């Protein structure tokens, strides 16, 4: 079992990228568990949602406005998170917090404190400890665990996946925008701080393009400063937005698109680095 954490500035497309990577790897025959480490509990939303045109709990979606559809989805897509159960102080089983999403990807959300009533970083620590305590890894036996970690916050709780035993590799998503590069630099420096302790290894930077001037050059330069590599490059594409409007991941909504191929290529690159003994070509 290999565990990989993905970090990056809020809004950089991290959850979208991780979910599409998870599908690509699952479709190659790997057993993938994606754990969202964000109080919003929305990392696995597209994996578990299906189609925005499903009627869901709110009845027929015909003639609803876009905002009404969003509200319908928001009300019907509130999975019970690990922290929900922890707060209830009642015993619970792995299958109560692990759902099966598209392509068989296993999905769980750490969750967080009630608004204004606790530390979200502490909640991540508690939730990841509970994952091990419940024996979720032993029960589901994933080949890969993907942690989708909140934005550019690297306090103790959100840095937990970088630490020994929680993640083997860390990938950082960024664009060429100044604040995105700054967030990636701070995360990279935090990762460097842990290197002497035998914690997670850097997997590299993933460029999610925003089409700013000299974007790839800037990200490659940052990779050099952080002593890592550019692990992959994703184009800015309307396909991603169109898939999200359907409430789906790109590999579900548009599996034959150029964007889907880019996610597959990135997934294969990540697998080659983190699982060198596994041949995805043979599995596919």
């Amino acid at each position: 079992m290999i565990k990989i954490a993905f970090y990056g500035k809020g809004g950089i497309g991290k959850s979208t990228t991780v979910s599409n990577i998870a599908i690509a790897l699952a479709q190659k025959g790997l057993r993938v568990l994606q754990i969202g480490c964000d109080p919003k509990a929305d990392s696995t939303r597209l994996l578990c949602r299906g189609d925005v045109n499903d009627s869901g709990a709110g009845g027929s979606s015909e003639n609803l406005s876009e905002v009404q559809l969003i509200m319908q989805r928001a009300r019907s897509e509130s999975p019970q998170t690990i922290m929900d159960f922890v707060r209830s102080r009642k015993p619970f089983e792995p299958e109560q917090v692990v759902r099966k999403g598209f392509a068989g990807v296993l999905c769980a959300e750490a969750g967080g404190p009630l608004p204004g009533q606790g530390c979200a970083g502490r909640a991540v620590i508690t939730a990841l400890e509970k994952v091990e305590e419940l024996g979720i890894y032993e029960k589901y036996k994933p080949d890969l665990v993907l942690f989708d970690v909140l934005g550019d916050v690297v306090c103790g709780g959100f840095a937990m996946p970088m630490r020994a035993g929680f993640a083997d590799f860390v990938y950082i998503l960024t664009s060429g925008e100044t604040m995105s590069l700054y967030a990636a630099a701070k995360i990279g420096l935090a990762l460097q701080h842990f290197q002497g302790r035998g914690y997670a290894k850097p997997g590299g930077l993933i460029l999610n393009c925003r089409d700013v001037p000299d974007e790839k050059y800037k990200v490659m330069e940052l990779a050099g400063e952080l002593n890592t590599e550019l692990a992959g490059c994703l184009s800015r594409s309307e396909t991603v937005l169109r898939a999200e409007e359907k409430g789906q991941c790109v590999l579900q909504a548009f599996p034959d698109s150029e964007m889907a191929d880019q996610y597959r290529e990135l997934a294969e690159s990540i697998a080659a680095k983190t699982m060198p003994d596994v041949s995805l070509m043979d599995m596919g």
Side-chain angles (χ1 to χ4, degrees):
M1 177 176 66
I2 299 296
K3 293 177 280 188
I4 307 172
F6 294 83
Y7 285 81
K9 182 181 180 297
I12 193 60
K14 183 165 35 50
S15 296
T16 298
T17 300
V18 175
S19 295
N20 280 289
I21 289 171
I23 292 173
L25 294 171
Q27 289 179 334
K28 283 292 187 178
L30 294 174
R31 194 165 179 80
V32 183
L33 169 62
Q34 181 170 324
I35 301 179
C37 300
D38 187 320
K40 297 193 303 297
D42 60 355
S43 171
T44 59
R45 175 178 60 87
L46 297 180
L47 282 169
C48 295
R49 174 63 178 90
D51 195 318
V52 71
N53 293 319
D54 291 345
S55 60
S60 174
S61 61
E62 189 175 356
N63 299 324
L64 293 180
S65 71
E66 182 179 356
V67 171
Q68 287 172 324
L69 283 171
I70 289 171
M71 289 302 298
Q72 184 183 87
R73 287 167 56 185
R75 292 188 179 106
S76 64
E77 294 176 0
S78 299
Q80 283 201 292
T81 69
I82 295 170
M83 287 305 300
D84 288 335
F85 282 101
V86 169
R87 278 194 298 272
S88 74
R89 300 183 183 277
K90 296 178 182 179
F92 60 100
E93 300 299 323
E95 53 267 23
Q96 291 177 272
V97 293
V98 177
R99 301 175 294 163
K100 185 171 287 189
F102 183 73
V105 177
L106 299 167
C107 304
E109 296 284 353
L114 296 173
Q117 298 184 34
C119 171
R122 179 64 231 178
V124 170
I125 296 174
T126 300
L128 295 186
E129 289 174 345
K130 185 61 69 172
V131 166
E132 296 194 342
E133 180 184 322
L134 287 172
I136 285 176
Y137 299 141
E138 290 77 9
K139 178 178 176 62
Y140 293 101
K141 296 180 172 56
D143 300 302
L144 274 171
V145 180
L146 308 181
F147 297 107
D148 176 9
V149 189
L150 173 66
D152 51 354
V153 181
V154 287
C155 71
F158 294 112
M160 179 64 98
M162 294 185 185
R163 298 182 177 183
F166 285 94
D168 301 298
F169 293 89
V170 170
Y171 284 84
I172 304 170
L173 272 79
T174 185
S175 69
E177 298 165 306
T178 300
M179 292 309 298
S180 182
L181 289 169
Y182 180 73
K186 296 291 283 186
I187 296 164
L189 290 172
L191 182 60
Q192 284 185 345
H193 176 72
F194 292 130
Q195 289 309 291
R197 308 180 193 182
Y199 288 178
K201 301 174 184 177
L205 302 184
I206 298 172
L207 168 57
N208 199 18
C209 291
R210 293 293 185 268
D211 295 341
V212 300
D214 301 320
E215 188 163 31
K216 189 171 183 179
Y217 172 80
K218 291 175 184 177
V219 175
M220 290 182 67
E221 183 180 10
L222 178 60
E225 291 287 338
L226 294 174
N227 297 316
T228 188
E229 63 186 19
L230 179 61
C233 183
L234 299 169
S235 301
R236 186 168 191 171
S237 173
E238 290 294 320
T239 305
V240 177
L241 298 178
R242 289 166 53 209
E244 291 186 351
E245 287 172 357
K246 290 170 63 67
Q248 298 178 340
C249 297
V250 170
L251 270 76
Q252 181 180 8
F254 305 107
D256 299 323
S257 65
E258 180 182 347
M259 199 66 219
D261 286 340
Q262 289 188 24
Y263 284 123
R264 293 187 186 102
E265 183 178 346
L266 176 59
E268 291 182 6
S269 173
I270 289 172
K273 184 178 183 70
T274 62
M275 307 177 71
D277 297 330
V278 175
S279 173
L280 291 186
M281 292 187 65
D282 292 342
M283 296 185 73

